[in-house]
Amino acid sequence: MKYVRASGFMNWVLPAMILLAAVDVLLSGRDLSRVYGELAGIFQGNRHPAMPWVQRGVSLLLLIVSVERIAHHFTQRAPVPSMPLAVAYVTYWMATVAAPAVFGAHPLLGHEFTYSLIIGLAALLVSTEEITGIVDTGRNALFVLMLASVALVPVWPALVLDASYTQGLLPGLPRLGGLAPHPVAMGMFAQTALLLLWARPYRAWLNVPAWLLGLSVLFFAQSKAAWLAFVLCSVVMVLVRHAPSAWRRLGDPREGAFAILFCLGALLVGAALLSLLLFSDLVGQVSYFLDTQQGAQLMTMTGRDQIWAIAIEEWQASKFFGYGPGLFDDDFRRSIGMPNATNAHNQFLDTLARSGGVGAFLLVVYSCVLLVLSVRYARRTGGLSLALFCSLAVRSISEVPLNLFGYSFEFFSHLLLIATLAAGASVGAQPTATRERRVYGVPA
């Protein structure tokens, strides 16, 4: 039976997540100029009384949309676009969420843990016909968020600007947090919006102002991780779009050996560069910088080495299934005297401590599957799949974008990536003539 899905409701999933985060900030009445770590309280208990009901409404919407998508897919007896991706995602959820929730040192069950499984399964079934609407709506929602954030600067500066920030390139320049949970998240939203804009441009008269807005927000968010991610993702987008012959080979199932060699080569190059950065004897000016206070903060990720040490201790206490879902919750943070440490600030260490060695192993396997498929479908998606993977990889160094305990703004890019990969795979399942189409504006 031929499967055609011209439209659906999955395009409302990403905007709903953005709306939830923005409303949470608006109702919080926060002062962004206070100590940065205090912002964690906005999402850890000091919320507006209306927010639990808002979140319930958004959760219900997401579940209804996702269940409808799954039911529609299987009632049509349509194939799963990428079975390896689906198996990897479900196995990863079982190892990092279900297993520690039941077998961890501190078991904890919650219905919200199933949300990422259900929403993720729906994203894994996204077709080529749906992905354009998903990308366009997600792009529009991000630009509305950025526009509203900028518009609030003269109206409510304390809500959206951190005037006390002193670690930027320009001394005294306020840091823009906007309606995102914090400036780092604002940077992540901005660089993701620019990638979506690159893949799916607006009309000519709107495209230039959109780029100016996105780049301005990215700069004023002053998130160095977001800057690095955007530069890396931009290089990927340019290479994929202007080096078609190599990427055609990577996307050709008959060239599996070439793709594997490419991925191994990329990993070796990355390991070599990392070794060079970590173990080489850097010249005078760099050594002098690292001896300064700012240099020391950079090397320890502003004190995150203490959090990493705690994560390793928790893993050593429960090596197979970890501490459990409650790691870094309110009680745990009070017990370690770090009220603002909401996670381990590193994806691998957080998974290792929270889900144990089993979860960490599946994290590596799942990441490898995402990498291979992102490379495989890079050409079909106009570079977006690989760019999104690179963005997640950079963010995983200091944050936890691949955690699947419930859903949050961190789940945004992860969900977008697996939907993109599913759409790229669904193109490959179609006839050759149909395959030569534009998924994100670039011929396959």
Side-chain angles (χ1 to χ4, degrees):
M1 179 181 294
K2 184 178 180 181
Y3 177 74
V4 177
R5 175 79 172 189
S7 62
F9 305 102
M10 284 298 293
N11 59 308
W12 294 109
V13 170
L14 299 181
M17 292 180 178
I18 296 172
L19 177 64
L20 179 63
V23 171
D24 208 349
V25 172
L26 273 173
L27 296 181
S28 70
R30 71 182 183 188
D31 182 355
L32 198 54
S33 295
R34 293 182 301 177
V35 178
Y36 178 79
E38 294 179 5
L39 296 178
I42 295 175
F43 300 95
Q44 300 295 328
N46 299 331
R47 307 175 78 184
H48 191 279
M51 276 310 302
W53 291 100
V54 175
Q55 184 158 11
R56 291 187 187 104
V58 171
S59 298
L60 183 61
L61 171 65
L62 296 180
L63 290 176
I64 291 175
V65 168
S66 299
V67 170
E68 187 276 337
R69 184 64 188 83
I70 296 171
H72 182 92
H73 184 92
F74 288 108
T75 55
Q76 297 295 315
R77 298 181 180 178
V80 176
S82 175
M83 188 58 71
L85 178 61
V87 171
Y89 184 85
V90 173
T91 306
Y92 175 64
W93 182 88
M94 293 290 293
T96 59
V97 178
V102 177
F103 303 113
H106 299 80
L108 177 64
L109 299 178
H111 62 87
E112 65 274 10
F113 296 161
T114 63
Y115 292 174
S116 60
L117 177 63
I118 297 171
I119 300 170
L121 286 174
L124 289 166
L125 303 177
V126 165
S127 65
T128 307
E129 288 76 15
E130 290 173 291
I131 194 63
T132 300
I134 292 173
V135 170
D136 287 352
T137 311
R139 175 203 62 195
N140 295 343
L142 288 173
F143 275 97
V144 169
L145 176 74
M146 291 190 292
L147 186 62
S149 299
V150 173
L152 284 171
V153 169
V155 179
W156 198 348
L159 182 76
V160 296
L161 288 178
D162 180 5
S164 64
Y165 186 66
T166 59
Q167 299 179 18
L169 295 178
L170 300 177
L173 182 68
R175 194 181 195 191
L176 178 65
L179 292 177
H182 46 68
V184 176
M186 190 77 255
M188 182 269 288
F189 282 146
Q191 62 101 3
T192 303
L194 290 171
L195 291 178
L196 298 183
L197 179 63
W198 199 331
R200 293 281 301 170
Y202 286 118
R203 296 180 183 273
W205 65 271
L206 187 57
N207 210 44
V208 172
W211 272 101
L212 291 175
L213 173 63
L215 289 172
S216 299
V217 171
L218 179 63
F219 175 76
F220 285 104
Q222 302 191 64
S223 170
K224 299 174 182 64
W227 293 351
L228 174 62
F230 182 67
V231 171
L232 179 60
C233 293
S234 298
V235 172
V236 167
M237 295 287 281
V238 171
L239 288 177
V240 172
R241 289 168 174 246
H242 297 284
S245 58
W247 294 103
R248 284 185 191 277
R249 294 187 65 189
L250 288 171
D252 190 345
R254 296 170 296 182
E255 296 284 354
F258 180 71
I260 293 173
L261 288 175
F262 177 87
C263 292
L264 289 176
L267 290 173
L268 290 175
V269 171
L273 290 175
L274 183 60
S275 299
L276 179 65
L277 290 173
L278 291 178
F279 303 114
S280 63
D281 184 16
L282 300 179
V283 293
Q285 291 185 351
V286 176
S287 298
Y288 174 77
F289 171 74
L290 294 180
D291 289 335
T292 64
Q293 182 179 3
Q294 289 185 341
Q297 288 180 345
L298 177 62
M299 291 302 292
T300 61
M301 299 292 287
T302 316
R304 287 173 181 170
D305 56 330
Q306 299 177 17
I307 302 175
W308 297 342
I310 290 173
I312 293 174
E313 289 177 3
E314 293 301 333
W315 166 66
Q316 291 175 338
S318 183
K319 291 187 176 181
F320 288 101
F321 298 107
Y323 182 94
L327 184 67
F328 294 109
D329 62 8
D330 293 342
D331 293 336
F332 183 85
R333 295 200 305 273
R334 279 193 292 267
S335 69
I336 63 174
M338 293 184 177
N340 304 312
T342 56
N343 56 64
H345 288 288
N346 176 273
Q347 183 65 67
F348 181 80
L349 291 179
D350 188 272
T351 303
L352 187 68
R354 197 183 301 265
S355 305
V358 174
F361 174 75
L362 264 297
L363 169 65
V364 174
V365 173
Y366 179 61
S367 299
C368 289
V369 172
L370 291 179
L371 172 60
V372 172
L373 294 181
S374 296
V375 173
R376 169 77 67 189
Y377 303 132
R379 180 63 183 168
R380 294 179 186 175
T381 60
L384 188 59
S385 63
L386 189 54
L388 289 172
F389 176 85
C390 292
S391 176
L392 283 174
V394 172
R395 189 159 178 79
S396 295
I397 297 173
S398 59
E399 300 296 337
V400 288
L402 296 179
N403 274 13
L404 295 180
F405 292 93
Y407 66 88
S408 66
F409 70 92
E410 289 282 11
F411 192 39
F412 181 93
S413 297
H414 185 187
L415 193 66
L416 184 58
L417 173 60
I418 61 177
T420 300
L421 293 176
S426 67
V427 174
Q430 297 173 0
T432 303
T434 309
R435 234 180 278 172
E436 295 296 327
R437 64 190 305 168
R438 292 175 178 265
V439 179
Y440 290 109
V442 175

